[in-house]
Each structure stands twice: as C-alpha cells, then as structure tokens.
Amino acid sequence: MKKVAIILADGFEEIEAVSVMDILRRAGIEALGVGLQNLEVNGAHNIQIKADLILDDIKVDEFVAIVLPGGLPGAKYLANSQKLGEILREFNLKNLKIAAICAAPWALSTANVLKNSYTCYPGFEKNIDHSGYEDNKNVVIDQNIITSKGPATAMEFALNLVKEICSYEKYMEIKKDLLFVD
C-alpha cells in the first residue's frame, strides 16, 4: 500500500488536513498524520488530532508523498522547521510528490524545493520568497510539486493527489463517489 505523510503542526488548518487524509484513504492510500513535534496536535480552530507518528520517525523511503496543510501559525512552524526542510529536500531529490496548501508553500520556499510555478492562499505569496505565483488556478502541479489555495480547494487538491499518486481512473472513481463537480 502506498503511504503518504501529512505533517501536522500546532495551528494547522483542519479542513485541509482531514479532507486530504480522508480522500487519500478512500483511494486506498495509507495517509498517516505526522506530528511536527508531538503526537497530539491542536488545529487552528481548536480541533485536536492524534497523529500516527512524529516527524523524527519518518523514513522517506517508506513514503510516496508528503503533504503540508496550511493554517496559521502551523505554516510558520513548518517553514521554520530545519528537520522538515531536510526531509522536503530528500523527497525532492528522490522526485517524490511534495504537496502544500494555503500558507504551507512557505515551507517549500524555505526548503528551496519550489520549481517554477505554485499557488497559495491569495495574498500570502508576499510571504513566499519565490516568483511564479499563479492566482488563476486552485491547484498548480509543477513536476513533483503540488500546491493549492486554501480550505475551499482542499477536495480538489486531494483529488489531484489521488490522480498523481494512483491513477486517473482512481481519481475519477473517488471524484464520482464524492459527488465532486468542477
């Protein structure tokens, strides 16, 4: 079974984390919550999630992708984590999927793994030291990097992850089951 690490820092955006985890699991992917520092992580709206493991326990070779939910101050903690930066660079060197939504592309910028184009929460591109911001797309895929705008785009983001990790057929199946219309 394919495994994906969803990194949870205190102050993460719950919709972005739980929607992605749910949709990936529906597609048969082992989507694991990974606490940046602790197993118990508090979301931006005071919803507590118990992670499956912590970042220090990550073995990159066991995963096909890493996902960073946004939210504040969660995205700031992600961007400031040297350990996460090292892991993101290792994922990138191995050409594994790296996905970030909302404010979380900030961490991709600080790890220096963004490619040519990306998107993020509108207005937050000012915090990301990288040209190539696209404001006219909900999801931007640039090589192995997948970015998205924010909470309302979380399902579309997750479905694109299914397409990239599994197949177009699995993407269409899950999309139909969820009644997702684009």
Side-chain angles (χ1 to χ4, degrees), residues 125-144:
E125 71 278 5
K126 295 174 183 84
N127 298 55
I128 298 173
D129 185 25
H130 193 82
S131 60
Y133 172 67
E134 292 196 30
D135 66 349
N136 61 340
K137 294 181 183 174
N138 289 338
V139 177
V140 172
I141 300 172
D142 188 355
Q143 298 174 49
N144 64 318

Side-chain angles (χ1 to χ4, degrees), residues 40 44 48 55-56 62 72 97-98 100 109 126 145 165 168:
E40 291 185 0
Q48 189 174 75
L55 190 66
D56 287 339
E62 295 179 2
L72 291 173
K97 303 295 180 196
I98 299 171
S109 174
K126 295 174 183 84
I145 308 293
I165 294 167
Y168 180 77

Side-chain angles (χ1 to χ4, degrees), residues 66-150:
I66 189 168
V67 179
L68 308 181
L72 291 173
K76 179 180 180 180
Y77 299 141
L78 297 175
N80 290 335
S81 171
Q82 290 182 355
K83 175 73 174 175
L84 178 59
E86 292 168 12
I87 289 170
L88 290 170
R89 286 187 289 279
E90 188 175 348
F91 266 81
N92 194 48
L93 280 172
K94 295 179 179 200
N95 203 36
L96 298 169
K97 303 295 180 196
I98 299 171
I101 184 171
C102 193
W106 185 8
L108 305 187
S109 174
T110 60
N112 202 29
V113 298
L114 281 175
K115 305 293 194 247
N116 301 306
S117 57
Y118 73 97
T119 195
C120 64
Y121 193 86
F124 204 79
E125 71 278 5
K126 295 174 183 84
N127 298 55
I128 298 173
D129 185 25
H130 193 82
S131 60
Y133 172 67
E134 292 196 30
D135 66 349
N136 61 340
K137 294 181 183 174
N138 289 338
V139 177
V140 172
I141 300 172
D142 188 355
Q143 298 174 49
N144 64 318
I145 308 293
I146 304 154
T147 54
S148 188
K149 286 188 172 183

